[in-house]
Amino acid sequence: MTKPIRLAVIGMGKIACDQHLPSIAGTQKFELVATVSRDGKPSVDGVQCVRSIEELADSGIGIDAVSICTPPQVRHDIAQFAIEQGWHTMLEKPPGATLAEVIALRDAAKAAGVTLFATWHSRYAAMVEPARAWLRGREIRRAKITWREDVRVWHPGQEWIWQPGGFGVFDPGINALSIITRILPEPLFVTKSQLFFPGNQAAPIAAEVSMRDRKGVPVEMDLDFRQEGPQHWDIDVETDAGTLSLSHGGAKLSIAGVENRSEENAMEGEYPGLYKRFAALVWASVSDVDVSPLRLVADAFLCGRITMVEDFIE
């Protein structure tokens, strides 16, 4: 039996505590041996916590891999340091603040002979793979992404999300892009975008993005952080055999109005699926660094027309 991979989690914010720690605890493929947090306060009983990745390297703790859950603005230097230690590295989404950072990390990991995994957790939602399989070979006519959520509910106190490199509404929006780039057979290109910036913030609170694939199929995306009441994480794809609808972030699937309840190929959960994949990559000594969702976000900013809206006050 392969020994558990000795893992440290770096950045003990909401996503690490809510998703990563339970997923690690639920698998025998990893052994959590350390956490890294600026306050140095232990998050898991019996697991040592240090204040920085440099302190982790000097601690003498045996480390095989790290999972980096910091905000994207500081992720590159931490990941580069981890790669230099020979540690396999898993990146929360988005994998970096810029495309250049992620490509540099990919090249560094290849040169060092370690695994780099740029994760897209929404691709591991239960119905994403069934949706991809159903769309294969069908004529796709158009698609619409509606990703509207209340930032005060889902990102309370997360000031980094409003800073340059924090992505604003594209932080959840990139989840939709990770799904659409997985289920559609052709690559997508941004044709135009409208970005709505609060007067007091450096990242958009809403966006409207028009895309097409290389066959000319239109894909429209509507993102908004100001949604109150029902939240929307939906993708609709119109085809020659009816409309496929993914809802609840990819957890539910209906085709031509009929809900698909098949559990075939369904993952056991988004983050458990990520750790299952990370272990497989480490054991196979390969990397998985798909930048297509991040590239579309970058292009949305490149093509974007900026409209200023009212200040955002949490």
Side-chain angles (χ1 to χ4, degrees), residues 134-135 138-142 184 236-244 255:
W134 188 85
L135 288 171
R138 287 186 164 86
E139 177 189 337
I140 297 170
R141 295 173 176 169
R142 61 182 52 84
L184 294 187
D236 297 306
V237 183
E238 182 182 327
T239 79
D240 58 337
T243 297
L244 176 147
I255 298 171

Side-chain angles (χ1 to χ4, degrees), residues 19 45 55 74 111 116 124 135 150 168 181 193 236 240 250 282 302:
Q19 300 292 346
D45 290 343
E55 188 176 336
V74 299
L116 181 65
Y124 292 78
L135 288 171
D150 188 339
T181 53
S193 65
D236 297 306
D240 58 337
V282 170
L302 280 172

Side-chain angles (χ1 to χ4, degrees), residues 119-308:
T119 67
W120 302 108
H121 66 81
S122 289
R123 287 183 174 176
Y124 292 78
M127 288 299 156
V128 170
E129 288 305 307
R132 181 172 186 255
W134 188 85
L135 288 171
R136 190 180 299 121
R138 287 186 164 86
E139 177 189 337
I140 297 170
R141 295 173 176 169
R142 61 182 52 84
K144 175 67 182 293
I145 298 166
T146 305
W147 227 253
R148 288 172 159 255
E149 63 181 53
D150 188 339
V151 67
R152 294 179 175 88
V153 172
W154 298 100
H155 302 274
Q158 295 182 4
E159 295 183 5
W160 62 266
I161 210 168
W162 298 109
Q163 301 305 311
F167 289 64
V169 75
F170 283 96
D171 179 74
I174 205 170
N175 294 335
L177 292 173
S178 73
I179 294 174
I180 201 78
T181 53
R182 177 64 181 167
I183 65 175
L184 294 187
E186 300 289 342
L188 292 176
F189 310 103
V190 175
T191 57
K192 65 178 180 179
S193 65
Q194 187 85 14
L195 309 177
F196 301 90
F197 278 70
N200 62 336
Q201 303 295 348
I205 197 168
E208 297 171 358
V209 182
S210 297
M211 297 172 279
R212 65 170 179 85
D213 72 8
R214 61 182 162 198
K215 293 183 177 180
V217 173
V219 177
E220 299 292 329
M221 181 163 68
D222 171 23
L223 307 177
D224 206 317
F225 255 164
R226 301 166 296 188
Q227 181 71 19
E228 297 180 357
Q231 310 286 282
H232 297 279
W233 302 285
D234 307 321
I235 297 176
D236 297 306
V237 183
E238 182 182 327
T239 79
D240 58 337
T243 297
L244 176 147
S245 296
L246 276 171
S247 60
H248 294 76
K252 293 187 177 182
L253 170 65
S254 65
I255 298 171
V258 178
E259 185 175 355
N260 187 325
R261 297 181 178 274
S262 172
E263 295 300 320
E264 185 178 359
N265 297 324
M267 292 289 185
E268 62 269 42
E270 293 182 15
Y271 281 85
L274 289 182
Y275 279 95
K276 182 178 180 180
R277 174 66 171 161
F278 188 31
L281 292 170
V282 170
W283 291 333
S285 300
V286 295
S287 292
D288 181 352
V289 185
D290 178 10
V291 298
S292 56
L294 181 59
R295 185 163 50 226
L296 290 172
V297 171
D299 288 352
F301 277 88
L302 280 172
C303 298
R305 179 184 293 273
I306 295 175
T307 298
M308 304 306 295

